[in-house]
Each structure stands twice: as structure tokens, then as C-alpha cells.
Amino acid sequence: MEVDHVKRNVESVLDAVSKVIVGKREVLELMLASALASGHVLIEDVPGLAKTMMAKSMAAAMRLKFSRIQFTPDLLPADITGTYVYDQRTGEFKLRRGPIFANLILADEINRAPPKTQSALLEAMQEMQVTIEGETHRLERPFLVIATQNPIEFEGTYPLPAAQVDRFLVRLRIGYPTEDEEVEILRRRMERMTDDFHMDPVIGKRDFIEMQEAVERVYVDESVLRYMAQIARKTRELAEIELGASPRGSLALFKLSRALAAMRGRDYVTPDDVKAVAVPALAHRIILRRELWYTRITPESVVERVLEQVEVPKFE
């Protein structure tokens, strides 16, 4: 598939999802860019902002198998991966597959489950496989995880360690709608006459996989590669930062900027593509010094300052 086809398919998917989700086009674009880059998304925001609806509508638009896992303190790893159960009729153990065997998984309130259960999902994210009773099972492509966590409520939660947050390609915040958008949400709900929604797929799973393969053919010039590396390295040098972005951060810039270029109909990456994805790709990989936790300095603002300080390569 050529990049112009990728652009057309992306616009079709975004237009279809926008019939369900009011506004938030930029968030949807970043979610789709992460999916095209075979990356996982962490959404950190308050409840009630249509995170579940976003994931379900995106899966429906691309004919992907959708699965939702509600993380709770008593959730076990087997509740995610599945387990072998004894079949009395045949006298054999058969695999009962868990919700992890899907194309797009919504891991709702991932910080509600204990670390052992979180790790079952994170292993699948990293290795594209699960191990059940010593037997390894490959997961079907595409495999995408959209995890959510509430940044306000901490009682009864198990915050993800920094090393595990680093596994997510991007961290996004949705934000509240504007007044006009909120009125439109109410209007659409009145017209539907139900909380449910229906969406016809606009592309198929095979099309989406071909789009991912097209992203892998997007060219990145040496000067732009060096620009990505310099941005990541600069996050390790600033005085405000306890821990900067690892090489996984520069790889995130690489993957996301290629996906964004393809979505814009180009088979090459520009510095503007890198700038557009830098904050969602790097901010969650940065740890500020403890004395700055209660100031107005945020990881996002630090990444923005890094972009101002690193010289942009001349690109023709």
C-alpha cells in the first residue's frame, strides 16, 4: 500500500469515528498514529471523557476484534490471559482464551490491579505473546492496547512503575469538551435515543496491517535521525530532570513521526513531524527532580523547552 492510500484510509477512519466522538480530532490522530506504529497508548485523564467509546469506535471502524478488561484489585493474571480447563466429556484440558486474545484491548483503570496482574498485560504488550501453564501462545496481529488510569484518585491503586509506563508509545490526555462540543454531545445522544452506537467499518483488518507495513517504508533522513537523538539526549542533560528519556524515547519519536508522515501522505519524515509527536512520546518517560513536583514545571513543559533549545536541521 502506498502512502496516499494510507492518507485516504486514515481520513475515512477519522471521519467515521468523528461521527461518534465530538471534537478531539488531534487526540484521535495521535491514537491512530500510535496504532499504525504498532505502539500502545496510555490515556491519563478523569472519568467520563469517552475513552471507552473512542477505543470501541476505532476498533469498529477498522473491523478489529475489540476486548475490554476492567482492572480491579482482585483481577488475576489468568483473568487476562486465560487458562486451561478440564473438559469432562473428552477427559482433556482445553485452553479457554482470555480477553487478551483480541486486536484492540481497552485496559480500563490499569492502576487498579496489583503489579502481578499488570505484568501479565505488559508482557503481552512487549513480547506479542502470552505464556499459559508453561506454553507460549502468539497473539494475532494487529495487537494494540489502550490503557487508562485516573490521575486524581489514588486510594486502592497500584501506580505503574516508571519502567512500565515507558512501555507505552504515547501518553495522552483528552481534556474536557468546549461548551459547543458538550451541547453537540447532548444533541447526538437525543437523536440516537440510546447510549449505544452503531458504526459500519470503513476499512478491514488486512487494510490496517498493510497501512502498518507502509509506515515501515517511510524514509527518515540522517539529519532528522540525528535531530531525534539530540532531543532525547537533551532530556538527560537539563538540571530539572532526575531521569531523562532512554533510547526507547528516541525510538518512539522515530516510529510516531513516520506514522504521522504517512498519515499526511508523505513517504519521508520532516522535523515538523518530530516536533508534533515529541510531547506525547517523551513526557511520560521523564522524571522531574523531587523538589519540582509541586511547582508549575511539568514534563510536558520540559519537552517543549527542549524543542526550543535543540537546533532544527535544514531539510529540503
Side-chain angles (χ1 to χ4, degrees), residues 187-241:
R187 183 182 295 114
R188 291 188 186 185
R189 172 59 181 84
M190 183 170 62
E191 292 172 353
R192 286 200 311 268
M193 301 178 68
T194 176
D195 288 333
D196 296 329
F197 68 91
H198 173 74
M199 177 183 296
D200 293 322
V202 293
I203 65 172
K205 181 166 65 174
R206 183 66 242 173
D207 296 318
F208 181 72
I209 292 174
E210 290 178 358
M211 290 164 68
Q212 289 181 317
E213 292 169 351
V215 167
E216 290 295 332
R217 295 191 292 272
V218 173
Y219 173 73
V220 187
D221 188 73
E222 178 75 21
S223 62
V224 181
L225 289 175
R226 189 166 296 277
Y227 180 53
M228 296 175 186
Q230 288 173 346
I231 291 172
R233 288 179 64 84
K234 190 67 175 178
T235 66
R236 305 166 202 160
E237 299 171 357
L238 295 183
E240 301 95 323
I241 296 177

Side-chain angles (χ1 to χ4, degrees), residues 90-138:
T90 62
E92 298 177 346
F93 284 92
K94 291 187 176 180
L95 176 62
R96 179 179 292 170
R97 295 185 173 220
I100 198 71
F101 289 91
N103 301 125
L104 196 155
I105 292 96
L106 177 67
D108 212 358
E109 295 187 288
I110 188 174
N111 56 331
R112 288 278 175 199
K116 186 176 181 180
T117 303
Q118 292 174 2
S119 65
L121 176 67
L122 293 163
E123 176 195 358
M125 290 165 52
Q126 187 72 16
E127 307 295 337
M128 279 285 291
Q129 64 185 30
V130 293
T131 303
I132 306 172
E133 300 293 337
E135 187 174 346
T136 300
H137 302 268
R138 294 291 300 173

Side-chain angles (χ1 to χ4, degrees), residues 18-51:
S18 294
K19 293 178 181 178
V20 177
I21 304 298
V22 179
K24 308 306 176 188
R25 183 90 174 191
E26 184 177 347
V27 174
L28 293 171
E29 286 178 348
L30 285 169
M31 287 177 65
L32 191 51
S34 182
L36 288 174
S38 301
H40 308 291
V41 178
L42 177 63
I43 301 178
E44 194 175 85
D45 220 325
V46 298
L49 297 180
K51 297 185 287 289

